[in-house]
Amino acid sequence: MSSQPDPPPFQEKDELHQFASFLTRQREQITERWMEEVKRSPKVESANPLDYHELADHLPKLFQDLADGLDSKGVFEEETHDDAESHGRHRWQQDYSLGELLRELGIVRHMILVHGLDAFEDGSASLSRAGRRRIRECILRFFEETAAASTEQFVAEQHQQLQVMNSRLQEAGRSLKAVNDRLNEADASRLLLLRTVSHELRNTLDALNGAVMVLGLDGIEDAERQKMFMICHRNLTDMGQLLRELTDYAMLLDKQPPVNVEEFSPALLCDELTAAFRPVAEVEGMTFEAYSHPALQEIRSDRLKIKQVLTNLITNAIKYRKPGAAAPGRIKLAFLPARSAGQWEMSVEDDGIGIAPEHLETIFEEFQRVAPERAKIQGAGLGLAITKRLIGLLGGGISVTSEVDQGSCFKVDLPKSLAG
Ligand code: ADP
């Protein structure tokens, strides 16, 4: 809006000034007329739901800019440009289409060119031909500039909204992908569950079937019968264990099981576990040591869940013993006060086959077994996943240190007193 027209001679200057004063005086009436014309036009439908104030709010300012421009002999200031942009922004916010914005400006331009000039001449001396032409030129230039600046602003607003919508669309796309990935993961994990469980069941059933067939043979010796009986017993125990793990796992997946807080003595729990597991360990040629620190008196937590955690860890310590080792295997269970106040620690240590460093992270995930050398040891890879979830429910954490062929040590940190 800074291009400078040729300066007009004196008479035209005076006429421009008079018309400018006329516009300033009449700007409220002209604004009202603008509103009427726009509301009447079927081509600017978006104006209909708006009230006078909403539509006309900034318009007197635009008329003032036109009047000021005429007064400055057709030089429109930067402010005119800003007001035109603000007009574009207003109409964008009022849901106009670009066509409606331009049509509205066309209606007003026509109104001022025809009715405005007529009204001015009706009320004062007639304009000279040159003066009239100069005023018309100024009005046309004003509306050209206003249409350009408000259109630019309108399009910029549109562009900005498109960018916002685009980023929302991308965000929605990302969420959709995440949902899809989760569904795929769920599918994959269901498939893995089916594969693992059917594999375990087939192995156990094959072993059972073989042993039962031998037991049915005529003339089978006592020692052989005893051996087959042991095979049946062990495989039935494995099936029972698998079933228990599946039930526990299903329960943990379905909903958070309640935590039943009670006060108990860790020393008594230690004795209970020793009574249950020392005989099993000894059958496998292992020793079982247990220690509960005297400073640990009462614990407030879910005793049964803690027992289940320790049962899983001790069962693994027995399962993953070193086969055919010269010296008897050793399991140590210990309950100790932890370094941080309010915590206590349980550990299960063995001198079994150990775990390679690359598997230490994954063993706590569902169905993660360290294959293939342990494929012969029964298991679905659920025990540690269940253990970790149970410990999480009790507000604790589990960690492991291990060395292949040297043994493993699982440590569980728990709060001494759980609320509830
Ligand atoms: P599972 O014993 O049914 O395979 P777990 O979740 O209890 O499932 O254990 C996951 C894996 O971690 C096991 O397959 C085994 O390789 C390894 N593991 C767990 N405990 C021990 C342990 N005490 N010594 C050696 N390896 C172990």
Side-chain angles (χ1 to χ4, degrees):
M1 300 236 172
S2 52
S3 58
Q4 302 262 341
D6 297 336
F10 177 74
Q11 192 194 350
E12 287 170 36
K13 243 198 268 181
D14 191 43
E15 286 172 337
L16 282 173
H17 171 72
Q18 284 179 23
F19 188 68
S21 311
F22 168 78
L23 272 184
T24 306
R25 283 193 310 276
Q26 296 286 312
R27 47 184 199 167
E28 300 297 335
Q29 289 91 318
I30 297 175
T31 303
E32 258 171 55
R33 182 106 195 242
W34 170 337
M35 295 299 93
E36 279 164 26
E37 297 275 340
V38 166
K39 287 246 181 199
R40 250 205 308 272
S41 167
K43 294 190 170 164
V44 192
E45 279 184 350
S46 299
N48 288 340
L50 302 173
D51 64 27
Y52 177 84
H53 178 72
E54 288 168 324
L55 264 181
D57 168 60
H58 57 290
L59 299 185
K61 245 179 139 235
L62 272 183
F63 282 121
Q64 194 54 55
D65 292 337
L66 173 58
D68 292 347
L70 285 161
D71 223 6
S72 327
K73 298 123 206 142
V75 178
F76 294 103
E77 300 296 335
E78 202 50 44
E79 200 185 342
T80 311
H81 182 85
D82 295 346
D83 291 340
E85 280 187 347
S86 152
H87 177 64
R89 193 174 307 117
H90 261 87
R91 292 305 187 238
W92 160 257
Q93 286 162 355
Q94 291 168 333
D95 277 343
Y96 268 50
S97 68
L98 188 54
E100 287 174 327
L101 171 84
L102 293 172
R103 281 203 181 94
E104 182 183 37
L105 286 173
I107 290 171
V108 187
R109 187 188 56 201
H110 178 80
M111 209 182 81
I112 296 182
L113 276 177
V114 178
H115 304 298
L117 273 174
D118 284 354
F120 174 67
E121 285 188 305
D122 285 351
S124 60
S126 60
L127 292 163
S128 69
R129 268 173 74 93
R132 198 169 220 282
R133 199 183 57 239
R134 183 64 80 146
I135 290 172
R136 282 176 65 86
E137 264 171 25
C138 277
I139 295 173
L140 286 174
R141 258 171 25 83
F142 172 80
F143 277 101
E144 246 170 51
E145 297 286 349
T146 303
S150 55
T151 302
E152 270 167 20
Q153 186 58 35
F154 191 93
V155 171
E157 299 282 340
Q158 216 168 25
H159 184 70
Q160 202 180 344
Q161 197 187 42
L162 271 178
Q163 277 182 328
V164 171
M165 281 162 74
N166 199 25
S167 66
R168 279 201 202 133
L169 218 63
Q170 281 177 351
E171 184 58 34
R174 275 195 292 273
S175 310
L176 212 68
K177 188 177 172 310
V179 170
N180 206 19
D181 286 352
R182 273 205 296 280
L183 285 176
N184 285 341
E185 265 171 35
D187 269 356
S189 127
R190 260 197 298 266
L191 195 67
L192 197 58
L193 173 69
L194 273 179
R195 270 205 204 120
T196 314
V197 172
S198 49
H199 172 81
E200 283 301 307
L201 279 178
R202 203 178 45 234
N203 282 353
T204 334
L205 278 177
D206 283 350
L208 265 177
N209 209 14
V212 169
M213 297 281 272
V214 175
L215 282 173
L217 292 177
D218 288 339
I220 178 173
E221 294 195 355
D222 279 354
E224 185 71 354
R225 175 174 296 112
Q226 186 62 20
K227 194 174 150 201
M228 291 305 124
F229 179 78
M230 285 307 292
I231 291 176
C232 287
H233 182 260
R234 173 164 294 177
N235 281 286
L236 283 171
T237 311
D238 286 345
M239 276 169 90
Q241 170 72 13
L242 178 63
L243 248 176
R244 259 191 308 280
E245 284 185 353
L246 281 175
T247 319
D248 290 346
Y249 183 61
M251 194 177 73
L252 282 168
L253 278 189
D254 186 29
K255 54 180 164 30
Q256 292 225 333
V259 175
N260 302 310
V261 178
E262 59 178 306
E263 217 161 76
F264 65 91
S265 145
L268 284 183
L269 178 63
C270 197
D271 290 347
E272 221 180 296
L273 288 161
T274 308
F277 283 102
R278 183 169 281 155
V280 185
E282 284 174 357
V283 166
E284 303 297 347
M286 303 174 86
T287 61
F288 186 95
E289 293 166 29
Y291 173 72
S292 179
H293 196 286
L296 285 178
Q297 290 294 321
E298 293 296 316
I299 298 291
R300 270 179 56 80
S301 189
D302 190 325
R303 194 182 69 90
L304 282 181
K305 289 197 177 59
I306 289 178
K307 195 172 161 189
Q308 191 180 351
V309 163
L310 289 166
T311 301
N312 286 351
L313 294 178
I314 298 169
T315 308
N316 276 352
I318 298 174
K319 244 170 47 171
Y320 297 106
R321 64 190 177 275
K322 253 186 282 190
R330 177 179 43 79
I331 297 172
K332 281 187 189 167
L333 165 71
F335 294 166
L336 301 167
R339 277 204 199 115
S340 43
Q343 297 283 114
W344 66 299
E345 185 188 287
M346 328 187 289
S347 66
V348 177
E349 194 184 337
D350 64 59
D351 60 352
I353 58 176
I355 305 160
E358 66 269 26
H359 298 303
L360 286 178
E361 289 281 313
T362 52
I363 52 170
F364 294 102
E365 290 167 19
E366 286 88 345
F367 315 114
Q368 292 300 323
R369 308 202 69 216
V370 182
E373 66 273 18
R374 306 169 195 225
K376 287 194 208 93
I377 304 176
Q378 294 291 335
L382 279 173
L384 287 180
I386 293 169
T387 301
K388 192 174 173 185
R389 278 179 188 244
L390 286 172
I391 295 168
L393 283 177
L394 302 180
I398 183 166
S399 61
V400 57
T401 48
S402 187
E403 220 177 300
V404 173
D405 280 339
Q406 299 300 314
S408 315
C409 181
F410 288 84
K411 279 193 178 152
V412 179
D413 251 302
L414 287 171
K416 278 187 192 157
S417 180
L418 264 190

